[in-house]
PDB file of all heavy atoms in Angstrom:
ATOM      1  N   VAL A 558       1.583   6.943  18.230  1.00  0.00           N
ATOM      2  CA  VAL A 558       0.565   6.905  17.198  1.00  0.00           C
ATOM      3  C   VAL A 558      -0.303   8.171  17.289  1.00  0.00           C
ATOM      4  O   VAL A 558      -1.256   8.293  16.472  1.00  0.00           O
ATOM      5  CB  VAL A 558      -0.263   5.665  17.212  1.00  0.00           C
ATOM      6  CG1 VAL A 558       0.556   4.407  17.019  1.00  0.00           C
ATOM      7  CG2 VAL A 558      -0.956   5.633  18.641  1.00  0.00           C
ATOM      8  N   ASP A 559      -0.056   9.045  18.187  1.00  0.00           N
ATOM      9  CA  ASP A 559      -0.821  10.255  18.344  1.00  0.00           C
ATOM     10  C   ASP A 559       0.083  11.431  18.561  1.00  0.00           C
ATOM     11  O   ASP A 559       1.297  11.345  18.386  1.00  0.00           O
ATOM     12  CB  ASP A 559      -1.905  10.197  19.388  1.00  0.00           C
ATOM     13  CG  ASP A 559      -1.272   9.611  20.690  1.00  0.00           C
ATOM     14  OD1 ASP A 559      -0.042   9.661  20.922  1.00  0.00           O
ATOM     15  OD2 ASP A 559      -2.012   9.146  21.607  1.00  0.00           O
ATOM     16  N   ASP A 560      -0.488  12.482  19.027  1.00  0.00           N
ATOM     17  CA  ASP A 560       0.390  13.717  19.229  1.00  0.00           C
ATOM     18  C   ASP A 560       0.809  13.908  20.682  1.00  0.00           C
ATOM     19  O   ASP A 560       1.187  15.003  21.033  1.00  0.00           O
ATOM     20  CB  ASP A 560      -0.460  14.945  18.841  1.00  0.00           C
ATOM     21  CG  ASP A 560      -1.704  15.150  19.625  1.00  0.00           C
ATOM     22  OD1 ASP A 560      -2.171  14.190  20.124  1.00  0.00           O
ATOM     23  OD2 ASP A 560      -2.218  16.274  19.714  1.00  0.00           O
ATOM     24  N   ARG A 561       0.803  12.783  21.502  1.00  0.00           N
ATOM     25  CA  ARG A 561       1.356  12.884  22.826  1.00  0.00           C
ATOM     26  C   ARG A 561       2.762  13.218  22.888  1.00  0.00           C
ATOM     27  O   ARG A 561       3.533  12.925  21.887  1.00  0.00           O
ATOM     28  CB  ARG A 561       1.085  11.648  23.636  1.00  0.00           C
ATOM     29  CG  ARG A 561       1.846  10.421  23.068  1.00  0.00           C
ATOM     30  CD  ARG A 561       1.576   9.189  23.856  1.00  0.00           C
ATOM     31  NE  ARG A 561       2.199   8.004  23.331  1.00  0.00           N
ATOM     32  CZ  ARG A 561       3.485   7.651  23.684  1.00  0.00           C
ATOM     33  NH1 ARG A 561       4.091   8.399  24.610  1.00  0.00           N
ATOM     34  NH2 ARG A 561       4.048   6.608  23.126  1.00  0.00           N
ATOM     35  N   LYS A 562       3.245  13.937  23.908  1.00  0.00           N
ATOM     36  CA  LYS A 562       4.608  14.441  23.980  1.00  0.00           C
ATOM     37  C   LYS A 562       5.504  13.314  24.483  1.00  0.00           C
ATOM     38  O   LYS A 562       5.255  12.613  25.512  1.00  0.00           O
ATOM     39  CB  LYS A 562       4.668  15.602  24.952  1.00  0.00           C
ATOM     40  CG  LYS A 562       5.825  16.513  24.651  1.00  0.00           C
ATOM     41  CD  LYS A 562       5.715  17.829  25.297  1.00  0.00           C
ATOM     42  CE  LYS A 562       6.820  18.711  24.923  1.00  0.00           C
ATOM     43  NZ  LYS A 562       6.669  20.136  25.603  1.00  0.00           N
ATOM     44  N   VAL A 563       6.547  12.980  23.719  1.00  0.00           N
ATOM     45  CA  VAL A 563       7.535  11.981  24.011  1.00  0.00           C
ATOM     46  C   VAL A 563       8.591  12.598  24.950  1.00  0.00           C
ATOM     47  O   VAL A 563       9.003  13.771  24.816  1.00  0.00           O
ATOM     48  CB  VAL A 563       8.153  11.402  22.808  1.00  0.00           C
ATOM     49  CG1 VAL A 563       9.134  10.325  23.153  1.00  0.00           C
ATOM     50  CG2 VAL A 563       7.078  10.839  21.841  1.00  0.00           C
ATOM     51  N   ALA A 564       9.055  11.826  25.915  1.00  0.00           N
ATOM     52  CA  ALA A 564      10.153  12.339  26.830  1.00  0.00           C
ATOM     53  C   ALA A 564      11.400  12.568  26.154  1.00  0.00           C
ATOM     54  O   ALA A 564      11.809  11.783  25.244  1.00  0.00           O
ATOM     55  CB  ALA A 564      10.308  11.248  27.907  1.00  0.00           C
ATOM     56  N   SER A 565      11.947  13.666  26.368  1.00  0.00           N
ATOM     57  CA  SER A 565      13.270  14.070  25.763  1.00  0.00           C
ATOM     58  C   SER A 565      14.372  13.389  26.516  1.00  0.00           C
ATOM     59  O   SER A 565      14.234  13.065  27.650  1.00  0.00           O
ATOM     60  CB  SER A 565      13.351  15.572  25.651  1.00  0.00           C
ATOM     61  OG  SER A 565      13.325  16.171  26.983  1.00  0.00           O
ATOM     62  N   ARG A 566      15.548  13.307  25.802  1.00  0.00           N
ATOM     63  CA  ARG A 566      16.709  12.616  26.397  1.00  0.00           C
ATOM     64  C   ARG A 566      17.987  13.423  26.016  1.00  0.00           C
ATOM     65  O   ARG A 566      17.994  14.134  24.970  1.00  0.00           O
ATOM     66  CB  ARG A 566      16.849  11.216  26.065  1.00  0.00           C
ATOM     67  CG  ARG A 566      15.761  10.292  26.567  1.00  0.00           C
ATOM     68  CD  ARG A 566      15.999   8.861  26.282  1.00  0.00           C
ATOM     69  NE  ARG A 566      15.933   8.589  24.765  1.00  0.00           N
ATOM     70  CZ  ARG A 566      16.310   7.485  24.232  1.00  0.00           C
ATOM     71  NH1 ARG A 566      16.926   6.483  24.941  1.00  0.00           N
ATOM     72  NH2 ARG A 566      16.258   7.288  22.932  1.00  0.00           N
ATOM     73  N   TRP A 567      19.009  13.221  26.862  1.00  0.00           N
ATOM     74  CA  TRP A 567      20.295  13.763  26.537  1.00  0.00           C
ATOM     75  C   TRP A 567      21.216  12.699  25.950  1.00  0.00           C
ATOM     76  O   TRP A 567      21.250  11.599  26.390  1.00  0.00           O
ATOM     77  CB  TRP A 567      21.007  14.241  27.777  1.00  0.00           C
ATOM     78  CG  TRP A 567      20.356  15.515  28.372  1.00  0.00           C
ATOM     79  CD1 TRP A 567      19.405  15.687  29.230  1.00  0.00           C
ATOM     80  CD2 TRP A 567      20.618  16.935  27.941  1.00  0.00           C
ATOM     81  NE1 TRP A 567      19.070  17.006  29.533  1.00  0.00           N
ATOM     82  CE2 TRP A 567      19.817  17.739  28.684  1.00  0.00           C
ATOM     83  CE3 TRP A 567      21.537  17.529  27.058  1.00  0.00           C
ATOM     84  CZ2 TRP A 567      19.854  19.206  28.538  1.00  0.00           C
ATOM     85  CZ3 TRP A 567      21.548  18.910  26.923  1.00  0.00           C
ATOM     86  CH2 TRP A 567      20.800  19.717  27.627  1.00  0.00           C
ATOM     87  N   PHE A 568      21.888  13.067  24.874  1.00  0.00           N
ATOM     88  CA  PHE A 568      22.792  12.134  24.154  1.00  0.00           C
ATOM     89  C   PHE A 568      24.202  12.783  24.179  1.00  0.00           C
ATOM     90  O   PHE A 568      24.447  14.007  24.038  1.00  0.00           O
ATOM     91  CB  PHE A 568      22.344  11.881  22.786  1.00  0.00           C
ATOM     92  CG  PHE A 568      20.989  11.163  22.671  1.00  0.00           C
ATOM     93  CD1 PHE A 568      19.808  11.952  22.650  1.00  0.00           C
ATOM     94  CD2 PHE A 568      20.945   9.795  22.754  1.00  0.00           C
ATOM     95  CE1 PHE A 568      18.619  11.263  22.524  1.00  0.00           C
ATOM     96  CE2 PHE A 568      19.724   9.141  22.691  1.00  0.00           C
ATOM     97  CZ  PHE A 568      18.591   9.895  22.620  1.00  0.00           C
ATOM     98  N   THR A 569      25.156  11.982  24.256  1.00  0.00           N
ATOM     99  CA  THR A 569      26.570  12.393  24.405  1.00  0.00           C
ATOM    100  C   THR A 569      27.207  12.689  23.023  1.00  0.00           C
ATOM    101  O   THR A 569      27.085  11.738  22.121  1.00  0.00           O
ATOM    102  CB  THR A 569      27.470  11.393  25.132  1.00  0.00           C
ATOM    103  OG1 THR A 569      26.891  11.253  26.450  1.00  0.00           O
ATOM    104  CG2 THR A 569      28.816  11.917  25.320  1.00  0.00           C
TER     105      THR A 569
END
Side-chain angles (χ1 to χ4, degrees):
V558 297
D559 50 16
D560 60 336
R561 65 183 178 86
K562 204 166 187 178
V563 178
S565 59
R566 292 186 292 169
W567 289 93
F568 297 92
T569 302

